[in-house]
Amino acid sequence: MAERVNLLVPAEVVPRLSMSDSAVGVAAQVRGGGLYLRDVPAAVAEEWIAQNPGVRPVRRRPAVRHFRARVYTYASVLCLVAAAQVVIVLAVDGAKNPLWLWVTGPLALAGAGITLAYKSIPFEHVRFAS
């Protein structure tokens, strides 16, 4: 079986790219513009890369984040600080609070903070909005 390559085609190159149905495996649009081509034969991929600047091989489908990495970092810190504050307020308010409030409030904020921190990591396949 011939070697297959995944390609990322920028939005500005897509109109110029000549593709025959037999050459392309699976094509899918990428949020933010561009085209992700999966299972393109290696010979065809080399030809496209040589003829079209910006076309590059990728290992996996790119993920596009809506905001810059710094926004996710700040939001993460804010959520984690808020989680700590909820624990402090519940501990010192003097009222008897239900167990579900102790569990869901801080855990939801901490979970959101951890998720946002993960989204701020610039993995190879992640692109952030400019």
Side-chain angles (χ1 to χ4, degrees), residues 79 83 103-115:
C79 284
V103 174
T104 57
L107 281 181
L109 286 168
I114 292 169
T115 301

Side-chain angles (χ1 to χ4, degrees), residues 1-124:
M1 183 172 157
E3 183 180 344
R4 300 286 184 161
V5 179
N6 299 331
L7 293 177
L8 179 62
V9 181
E12 59 272 5
V13 177
V14 172
R16 300 183 285 163
L17 193 64
S18 61
M19 297 184 289
S20 64
D21 292 335
S22 62
V24 179
V26 178
Q29 286 187 331
V30 177
R31 187 176 23 172
L35 193 64
Y36 171 70
L37 302 170
R38 186 175 49 133
D39 295 336
V40 177
V44 174
E46 288 176 13
E47 182 180 325
W48 284 352
I49 292 170
Q51 293 176 357
N52 300 293
V55 176
R56 60 186 175 95
V58 292
R59 281 190 269 154
R60 61 188 286 187
R61 182 184 175 120
V64 179
R65 304 280 191 241
H66 289 288
F67 305 105
R68 295 177 183 213
R70 185 162 290 174
V71 172
Y72 289 106
T73 303
Y74 290 154
S76 171
V77 170
L78 186 68
C79 284
L80 293 172
V81 168
Q85 289 297 317
V86 167
V87 169
I88 292 169
V89 167
L90 289 174
V92 298
D93 71 349
K96 183 169 170 114
N97 297 308
L99 181 62
W100 66 267
L101 187 61
W102 277 92
V103 174
T104 57
L107 281 181
L109 286 168
I114 292 169
T115 301
L116 289 165
Y118 182 78
K119 283 188 163 196
S120 72
I121 300 172
F123 294 111
E124 179 182 303

